[in-house]
Amino acid sequence: MKVVALAGGFGGARFARALAESDAELTVIGNVGDDEEILGLHISPDLDSILYALAGIGDEERGWGRADETWNALDTVGALGGDTWFQLGDRDLGLHLLRTQALRKGEPLSSITARFARALGVDATVLPATDDELRTHVETPAGDFPFQEWYVGRRHEDEVTGVRYEGDAKAAPGVVEALANADLIAISPSNPYLSIGPILAVHGIRKAIESRRVPSVAVSPLIGGRTVKGPADRMLERFAGGTSPTHVAAVYEGLIDRLVIDEADAGEGDHIVTRTLMSDEAARRTLAGAVLEAAAVPR
Ligand code: FO1
């Protein structure tokens, strides 16, 4: 079964891994709204978290960067008076150096990502939502911030009063085609506004999902009305009016046929109920199974 997953953030990478471990033929469309230039290097945190998770080399506890990381380069940056607010590990840096070099030579992000996936032994197809510049900006009472400045620099403590996606981005090669040829579309348990929103803001992607002929399912990022990590619960409260499955489903109106929710949120509504916390391989298998079941749900 051809499954196309929209993924961003911590939940997106774990979810991609869960689907990759199933027998689905997987394409992951990754968020690039979080991309940032740090120390002269182009960083694509969500694409990297997806690649690292699929290659089994990511730091599972931290949720970003490489396992067994060391920080010698960053220590040097700090010792020489440079900015260290955004932590780049030594192993991780190698990838950023190569990607930045390739981008400067004019290679599109999608092509670079495909090369890295192959080199890391990743079987799934990993596509950035766009090769164009698309950046998420967060509006808060303390001002407007580029995503990473708010998320990492200010520890995502400021209340989010608005989210903007800047850039006139068209879908990367293969993205709309993958959605058109999918047997199932799956939206990760990621922040709907910060991780999935930027993907849907890319020209052609929302329309491709709205006009689908196959089932589409989202996994709620909430467990017992709270997020595992990050501010999705606070943002759903503010922008959707609550944190129930009904509120989550409403955010994806027209884009999904079913919502997968955690047992802790079971109650009203025609949702698929399972354990959604991807704490280990067995848990990932359970969630992937529940998502693939949605393929049988009539549209
Ligand atoms: N997140 C942090 O909270 N602090 C960091 O210093 C940090 C560095 C970092 C480096 C590379 C990378 O791929 C991701 C990194 N992240 C860091 C995570 C990242 O900024 C966010 O988790 C995602 O953008 C959220 O989707």
Side-chain angles (χ1 to χ4, degrees):
M1 186 193 326
K2 288 188 194 135
V3 178
V4 177
L6 273 52
F10 180 68
R14 283 197 167 188
F15 184 60
R17 183 172 181 192
L19 290 173
E21 288 168 351
S22 75
D23 50 17
E25 191 184 315
L26 179 64
T27 298
V28 186
I29 300 174
N31 171 39
V32 295
D34 299 11
D35 287 19
E36 186 54 272
E37 188 168 308
I38 304 285
L39 300 171
L41 301 174
H42 180 105
I43 316 295
S44 293
D46 285 358
L47 293 181
D48 295 347
S49 297
I50 293 164
L51 286 177
Y52 291 159
L54 293 180
I57 57 174
D59 188 299
E60 290 184 36
E61 204 155 308
R62 220 172 33 234
W64 52 269
R66 296 272 307 257
D68 301 321
E69 190 56 283
T70 54
W71 307 90
N72 298 302
L74 195 75
D75 287 348
T76 302
V77 170
L80 295 174
D83 275 340
T84 56
W85 64 276
F86 196 84
Q87 296 181 281
L88 297 173
D90 299 332
R91 290 177 193 276
D92 194 26
L93 264 169
L95 182 149
H96 306 312
L97 289 170
L98 271 185
R99 177 168 45 215
T100 304
Q101 182 192 42
L103 284 169
R104 286 195 185 137
K105 281 188 184 157
E107 185 176 353
L109 185 60
S110 54
S111 159
I112 300 166
T113 307
R115 279 200 293 116
F116 288 178
R118 263 198 309 279
L120 291 170
V122 170
D123 289 331
T125 302
V126 180
L127 301 169
T130 179
D131 279 336
D132 301 330
E133 186 160 313
L134 178 84
R135 294 291 175 268
T136 302
H137 287 255
V138 176
E139 299 166 357
T140 81
D144 287 11
F145 301 99
F147 179 83
Q148 296 297 351
E149 230 172 282
W150 166 77
Y151 188 87
V152 176
R154 300 177 66 86
R155 296 197 196 85
H156 49 83
E157 282 167 0
D158 316 273
E159 187 71 14
V160 181
T161 52
V163 178
R164 282 194 329 270
Y165 313 115
E166 288 193 355
D168 194 20
K170 55 184 181 311
V175 167
V176 171
E177 295 82 348
L179 288 166
N181 293 322
D183 298 311
L184 176 70
I185 297 168
I187 300 180
S188 305
S190 307
N191 186 309
Y193 307 100
L194 299 175
S195 294
I196 304 300
I199 301 178
L200 297 171
V202 171
H203 293 302
I205 295 187
R206 178 181 282 274
K207 202 162 134 252
I209 300 176
E210 280 172 348
S211 59
R212 70 193 177 279
R213 293 211 188 83
V214 296
S216 173
V217 62
V219 180
S220 170
L222 305 182
I223 297 180
R226 305 296 305 271
T227 29
V228 179
K229 199 175 171 181
D233 46 6
R234 282 186 281 148
M235 293 179 70
L236 277 156
E237 195 70 65
R238 183 175 191 112
F239 299 123
T243 57
S244 73
T246 311
H247 292 103
V248 178
V251 174
Y252 292 127
E253 168 120 53
L255 296 166
I256 59 168
D257 304 297
R258 276 291 193 287
L259 184 70
V260 175
I261 60 167
D262 192 79
E263 290 160 349
D265 299 295
E268 286 161 42
D270 190 11
H271 307 301
I272 298 171
V273 180
T274 189
R275 277 196 58 207
T276 60
L277 187 67
M278 294 173 277
S279 44
D280 56 24
E281 195 181 338
R284 291 195 294 270
R285 198 176 316 124
T286 303
L287 178 59
V291 167
L292 297 182
E293 261 175 48
V297 169
R299 287 233 46 227

